[in-house]
Amino acid sequence: MNAHDEPDANPTPIRPYDGPAGGWGALRSVAKHLTEQGVPVRGAKTLLAVNQPDGFDCPGCAWPDRDHTSTFEFCENGAKAVAAEATRHRATPDLFERHTVAQLARHSDFWLEQQGRLTHPMRLDAASDRYLPVTWDEAFALIATRLNALASPDEAIFYTSGRTSNEAAFLYQLFVREFGTNNFPDCSNMCHEPSGIALKRQIGVAKGTVSLHDFELADAIFIFGQNPGTNHPRMLGELRRAAKRGCAIVSFNPLRERGLEKFADPQDPLQMLSGGSTTISSDYLQLRIGGDLAAVKGVIRHVLEIDAQRLRDGQSGVLDREFIAEHTADFETFAADVAAESWAVIEAESGLTRAQMRRVAEIYIASERVICCWGMGITQHKHSVATIQMIVNLLLLRGNLGRPGAGACPVRGHSNVQGDRTMMISEKPPQAFLDRLRDVFGFEPPREHGVDTVGAIEAMLAGTGKVFFGLGGNFATATPDTEATHRALRRCDLTVHVTTKLNRSHLVHGREALILPCLGRTEIDMQATGPQQVTVEDSMSMVHLSGGINAPAAPDLLSEPAIVARLAHATLGARSKVPWLALIDDYDRIRDAIARTFDDFHDFNARVRVPGGFRLPNTAAERRWANAAGKAVFHTHAVPTDAPIHRARRSREEPVFLLATVRSHDQYNTTVYGMDDRYRGVFGERRVLFANGADIAALGLAAGDRVDLRSVAEDGVKREANGFLLVDYDIPRGCLAAYYPETNALVPLSSFADEARTPTSKSIPVIVLPHVPESDAASRRIDASLVP
Ligand SMILES: Nc1nc2c(c(=O)[nH]1)N[C@H]1C(S)=C(S)[C@@H](COP(=O)(O)OP(=O)(O)OC[C@H]3O[C@@H](n4cnc5c(=O)[nH]c(N)nc54)[C@H](O)[C@@H]3O)O[C@H]1N2
Ligand SMILES: Nc1nc2c(c(=O)[nH]1)N[C@H]1C(S)=C(S)[C@@H](COP(=O)(O)OP(=O)(O)OC[C@H]3O[C@@H](n4cnc5c(=O)[nH]c(N)nc54)[C@H](O)[C@@H]3O)O[C@H]1N2
Ligand SMILES: [Mo]
């Protein structure tokens, strides 16, 4: 990457931050980002429409809003997401004329993003290595021709990122299934897939069970592996309210995260003027990376022991025995296994003391109503499904499921990632759903499972995946094993991306390539019958409308539903059973089709127009268990002691560390907004490695030194990422953290969660070496693989 792409290098990149999260820093940061994007006035107006009944859904995270009708809720990172979309900068055909693809590829991701909104559909001209403008009709005709020429529809792969609306997602799955494949990898495969799998089997729903109202009632909130101060800032408002009324907030995180400690709410004038803040976490457990299963099992062991002791003392026990008897299965087996687990193993693997876990058990028992939240610190490990089931086991012990103030809360990422799954963006659709599609639309959908994200990369590498189509996202950069992924994309005959901005995936292309620019969520979507709204589903199953207010970034942009429908029309033509173009004239027609397909969406158009929208039914929240057992099931899991990290440590002389890849405060996944990570005290620099001071010293290094990373993988492939600045950070020994996506090259494609196949981005065994300047060349090889 070009160093000169980035803003001026900061002379003191590391300046520990001891203020609260939020506060004036958040307001200053918003002003800065709006100004940089050239949108001070329009931006402010745009911000006031975020999450309003007649405005648009925030394109940031999936955290719900209070009623979706309340006053403007301020969120620094939501504002950055809006500013990024409402930018005045434009990536016009002129940009592509001035740069070959190889030249563009030499720029950093940050620079690519700064070029602004794309304005025209572009087609790769291989001879000149340039993208040239193409008409929409030509673009659709080209894709249609290539799709129809495939030996099998399964040679095409259709990726989705979680910003896609319900309407676009529904049309997309309809088109692709009528075309004939279930090849639907999506960002969820890299994100909350393990949550869906764990919960579906255990409690019969693949989603969380709580609503915002439960946060007002909870006596304790446990937060596992999540950094809300950066990734779900509006959640801090709920946590602050909860903390103020005395709710215990217990955070499990290897890193000290500012947003989990103290928060000054920019919504609260008094707090802002007084410089005050609210303490968020009452307890902060700095466990080891990957140590959550052991930690929760330790807490459960204490709960069971306290229960037994109380019974022996003639007191009442602490378990909800009625709930366990009536609603759960397999408790006895589970309890016996927990009692047999060794404390030595629990302590060694969690990195917590028995006393620390005892304290959590006491908080748990003292709390009538408990919510457990979790994020990527839980899902991106080999044993993520088991860890989530252990967290739910803890909830089940005292009936903390399906009653007010209690429940499971996987905190979803992208603003509509949950809705996309509800619309059946899924490589493993249930047969009953396929029957329904057949009955409603009159075509026979494919029955075989398709590929997920890892499977898609494998298929492209093997040459069986030939056309890659991405509805949003940045597949080349978000996925693991960067070098292998790039090789995979380059093997394709055709790569197509529907996108708002230029990103790496457009430059790591197949033999033929198209970039299709679309409207963003903040923009007016004008169709034959007038301006259209779309719908989204938040992390708590609330479905509501979203309509843009800004003029489109360019006259040639199409909406995502229009792109999908016109592509379907071009590809399937007269053989289609679906009136594609008519659906686009009025999105109410798409919603009617959704209502016919999914019972939970009956009277969709009417219900979604009620201010605030509606909540999808959730059987587990009503204590009905729609899984095979017909009960909430206690799942027994051993504490893992033979994971890749254990094997790597056994096989190596030098210390092997466990690296977690995390988000900085100035990024949205692969989109880098800026070079600062304010709450972690990092400024003007992204190649940093957070490490424990004692580990730094033991390596014979000092904070401020540069180091190179090698992953210790079992396939013998050398994977490296080089030139990271060592930062002395409050993190347990043996653990490291660095930013995603700079470290994705270290994650082997074959390293993923059991059952869920989610890449293990939070547990990469690595060794740390002093930086060798020549190794920059190796790091650049990854970027150089961009240059054909
Ligand atoms: N501004 C902004 N908002 C976002 C995003 C963004 O990039 N920027 N991304 C969106 C998306 S798609 C998602 S999925 C979410 C992600 O939101 P998060 O789940 O908060 O994602 P991460 O930044 O990956 O951070 C995970 C946290 O887990 C901790 N952690 C790492 N390993 C472990 C472990 O083994 N155990 C425990 N207990 N903790 C661990 C890390 O220290 C970090 O605090 O945010 C969404 N919202
Ligand atoms: N190492 C590591 N890897 C990870 C993770 C990690 O924690 N560590 N996290 C994983 C997670 S949780 C996720 S969700 C994935 C994210 O994977 P993706 O969803 O594929 O990636 P994003 O960076 O969110 O996608 C950003 C791009 O989306 C496009 N875009 C933005 N808005 C719109 C829109 O309205 N419409 C369309 N069509 N396009 C739009 C822009 O081109 C932008 O460049 O990454 C995963 N990868
Ligand atoms: Mo995500």
Side-chain angles (χ1 to χ4, degrees):
M1 283 185 195
N2 279 357
H4 65 256
D5 276 358
E6 264 81 56
D8 288 347
N10 197 309
T12 46
I14 310 304
R15 298 196 299 274
Y17 178 85
D18 47 19
W24 290 108
L27 290 181
R28 266 196 297 275
S29 158
V30 168
K32 174 171 165 273
H33 282 271
L34 288 175
T35 316
E36 276 169 8
Q37 300 307 325
V39 285
V41 179
R42 182 162 160 244
K45 177 183 136 223
T46 308
L47 285 182
L48 291 173
V50 181
N51 294 347
Q52 292 302 295
D54 51 356
F56 53 87
D57 183 70
C58 181
C61 71
W63 187 257
D65 344 284
R66 295 240 134 234
D67 307 331
H68 204 77
T69 56
S70 57
T71 51
F72 166 67
E73 259 201 279
F74 174 81
C75 167
E76 174 191 352
N77 281 350
K80 284 187 209 161
V82 170
E85 197 173 288
T87 178
R88 289 260 157 111
H89 303 297
R90 294 288 178 274
T92 63
D94 184 51
L95 173 78
F96 296 95
E97 207 186 302
R98 284 185 281 112
H99 297 83
T100 63
V101 175
Q103 285 166 342
L104 289 171
R106 276 184 219 113
H107 284 286
S108 69
D109 294 358
F110 178 77
W111 186 90
L112 297 176
E113 162 73 16
Q114 293 305 315
Q115 303 315 299
R117 292 287 299 278
L118 291 155
T119 58
H120 288 77
M122 305 296 291
R123 175 185 181 171
L124 180 74
D125 175 52
S128 66
D129 189 34
R130 279 188 167 77
Y131 274 103
L132 303 177
V134 63
T135 67
W136 281 106
D137 281 335
E138 286 164 347
F140 294 132
L142 173 70
I143 305 168
T145 307
R146 296 296 176 261
L147 287 177
N148 286 325
L150 292 173
S152 150
D154 289 330
E155 291 180 342
I157 291 165
F158 296 88
Y159 177 68
T160 315
S161 170
R163 206 177 274 193
T164 297
S165 65
N166 288 335
E167 287 73 8
F170 182 78
L171 292 187
Y172 191 50
Q173 65 79 33
L174 190 62
F175 157 53
V176 172
R177 293 200 164 103
E178 192 176 19
F179 171 66
T181 180
N182 286 311
N183 280 344
F184 283 113
D186 74 336
C187 68
S188 198
N189 295 142
M190 299 180 266
C191 188
H192 267 294
E193 183 82 51
S195 305
I197 290 183
L199 293 174
K200 181 82 193 153
R201 205 166 295 161
Q202 192 167 19
I203 60 171
V205 292
K207 302 178 183 180
T209 66
V210 298
S211 69
L212 267 194
H213 183 56
D214 294 316
F215 279 77
E216 290 166 22
L217 304 173
D219 303 308
I221 301 171
F222 290 6
I223 303 174
F224 295 91
Q226 206 208 328
N227 183 20
T230 286
N231 297 319
H232 304 90
R234 283 176 300 116
M235 180 177 176
L236 287 190
E238 297 307 324
L239 295 178
R240 172 173 170 265
R241 269 188 286 275
K244 283 192 132 174
R245 59 171 179 79
C247 173
I249 297 181
V250 183
S251 290
F252 297 78
N253 201 309
L255 269 74
R256 280 271 161 190
E257 300 283 29
R258 207 56 192 148
L260 289 168
E261 296 186 305
K262 275 189 188 340
F263 176 52
D265 194 343
Q267 301 270 96
D268 179 342
L270 247 171
Q271 194 160 61
M272 291 296 282
L273 289 173
S274 67
S277 62
T278 308
T279 298
I280 298 293
S281 298
S282 48
D283 287 79
Y284 204 113
L285 293 128
Q286 273 185 283
L287 75 186
R288 290 225 171 105
I289 292 174
D292 301 80
L293 192 157
V296 179
K297 205 166 178 183
V299 173
I300 291 174
R301 183 159 174 191
H302 278 305
V303 173
L304 294 178
E305 286 177 3
I306 293 169
D307 179 69
Q309 185 62 46
R310 294 233 184 134
L311 291 179
R312 275 198 301 275
D313 294 346
Q315 299 169 336
S316 53
V318 300
L319 305 183
D320 184 342
R321 292 201 151 69
E322 227 171 277
F323 174 81
I324 292 175
E326 190 185 338
H327 287 289
T328 73
D330 299 345
F331 173 70
E332 303 302 331
T333 322
F334 169 71
D337 173 74
V338 172
E341 189 68 83
S342 116
W343 278 116
V345 169
I346 291 175
E347 287 192 319
E349 295 303 319
S350 67
L352 300 178
T353 64
R354 219 168 136 168
Q356 282 176 302
M357 291 178 269
R358 169 91 185 188
R359 158 126 184 108
V360 178
E362 281 162 0
I363 295 172
Y364 180 70
I365 289 167
S367 306
E368 185 59 36
R369 308 174 191 86
V370 181
I371 293 175
C372 286
C373 305
W374 66 90
M376 295 300 102
I378 294 300
T379 63
Q380 296 175 334
H381 297 282
K382 185 163 192 306
H383 51 279
S384 52
V385 171
T387 304
I388 293 159
Q389 292 181 333
M390 198 56 76
I391 292 172
V392 175
N393 288 335
L394 175 65
L395 288 171
L396 293 178
L397 288 180
R398 286 175 45 85
N400 276 305
L401 212 58
R403 62 182 169 79
C409 181
V411 182
R412 306 294 302 246
H414 268 295
S415 50
N416 197 40
V417 62
Q418 185 157 319
D420 291 345
R421 269 293 159 87
T422 304
M423 292 296 112
M424 279 297 161
I425 298 295
S426 166
E427 73 281 3
K428 301 185 287 280
Q431 295 300 323
F433 162 75
L434 297 175
D435 292 343
R436 186 69 173 257
L437 264 196
R438 178 198 58 208
D439 297 346
V440 172
F441 293 97
F443 64 84
E444 187 52 56
R447 299 283 168 168
E448 305 274 291
H449 288 178
V451 291
D452 57 11
T453 292
V454 168
I457 299 168
E458 288 167 344
M460 290 185 278
L461 280 173
T464 52
K466 295 191 163 126
V467 173
F468 177 93
F469 186 99
L471 188 59
N474 188 356
F475 192 86
T477 305
T479 48
D481 223 341
T482 312
E483 189 276 325
T485 299
H486 287 189
R487 231 179 326 119
L489 287 165
R490 290 202 178 290
R491 279 207 71 176
C492 288
D493 291 337
L494 172 67
T495 48
V496 185
H497 295 275
V498 179
T499 181
T500 47
K501 296 234 186 126
L502 184 61
N503 70 36
R504 183 73 51 201
S505 297
H506 315 143
L507 309 176
V508 186
H509 55 73
R511 204 162 43 76
E512 292 183 288
L514 287 160
I515 305 176
L516 306 181
C518 65
L519 291 174
R521 212 181 261 177
T522 55
E523 288 157 349
I524 298 165
D525 179 356
M526 190 59 76
Q527 302 295 343
T529 59
Q532 304 296 318
Q533 290 175 301
V534 293
T535 60
V536 293
E537 175 186 341
D538 67 29
S539 202
M540 295 179 190
S541 307
M542 290 294 306
V543 180
H544 48 72
L545 282 168
S546 169
I549 59 154
N550 289 335
D556 277 341
L557 303 185
L558 292 183
S559 73
E560 288 186 2
I563 291 173
V564 174
R566 286 178 60 178
L567 176 60
H569 180 71
T571 306
L572 303 172
R575 74 177 192 266
S576 180
K577 307 278 187 205
V578 181
W580 293 105
L581 302 182
L583 287 173
I584 287 309
D585 289 345
D586 181 350
Y587 293 1
D588 277 6
R589 295 176 192 158
I590 307 177
R591 284 184 282 273
D592 283 337
I594 293 173
R596 287 201 302 279
T597 309
F598 302 102
D599 292 338
D600 288 349
F601 283 82
H602 66 88
D603 303 311
F604 190 9
N605 276 305
R607 288 197 298 151
V608 83
R609 285 198 164 81
V610 175
F614 62 94
R615 186 163 192 228
L616 291 170
N618 187 304
T619 44
E622 298 160 21
R623 295 198 165 177
R624 291 187 290 123
W625 316 104
N627 55 1
K631 298 268 185 199
V633 182
F634 282 96
H635 280 263
T636 297
H637 294 290
V639 174
T641 51
D642 190 31
I645 181 64
H646 301 98
R647 294 197 289 269
R649 282 183 174 145
R650 283 199 298 267
S651 71
R652 291 267 174 170
E653 300 271 309
E654 69 269 61
V656 181
F657 294 87
L658 201 52
L659 170 73
T661 62
V662 298
R663 291 153 172 81
S664 87
H665 195 63
D666 267 2
Q667 74 182 84
Y668 193 93
N669 297 340
T670 67
T671 302
V672 176
Y673 298 136
M675 305 301 287
D676 298 346
D677 192 6
R678 198 166 72 244
Y679 301 151
R680 298 198 187 106
V682 176
F683 299 90
E685 173 72 64
R686 280 185 56 89
R687 279 189 110 75
V688 295
L689 184 67
F690 300 101
N692 182 294
D695 281 334
I696 297 177
L699 287 167
L701 296 166
D705 285 350
R706 294 267 168 190
V707 293
D708 295 341
L709 298 171
R710 300 269 178 287
S711 65
V712 184
E714 291 171 342
D715 61 6
V717 175
K718 183 174 175 188
R719 294 182 181 83
E720 56 188 321
N722 299 322
F724 289 81
L725 185 78
L726 266 178
V727 178
D728 181 341
Y729 203 81
D730 193 351
I731 182 172
R733 288 204 68 176
C735 299
L736 300 171
Y739 300 131
Y740 137 66
E742 283 78 353
T743 39
N744 284 37
L746 296 168
V747 186
L749 189 59
S750 57
S751 175
F752 45 68
D754 296 335
E755 303 170 90
R757 290 166 54 90
T758 299
T760 54
S761 315
K762 294 286 187 282
S763 46
I764 315 169
V766 294
I767 53 176
V768 179
L769 303 167
H771 177 52
V772 182
E774 301 83 77
S775 68
D776 289 343
S779 246
R780 265 198 303 274
R781 262 208 312 277
I782 303 279
D783 304 331
S785 77
L786 306 167
V787 186

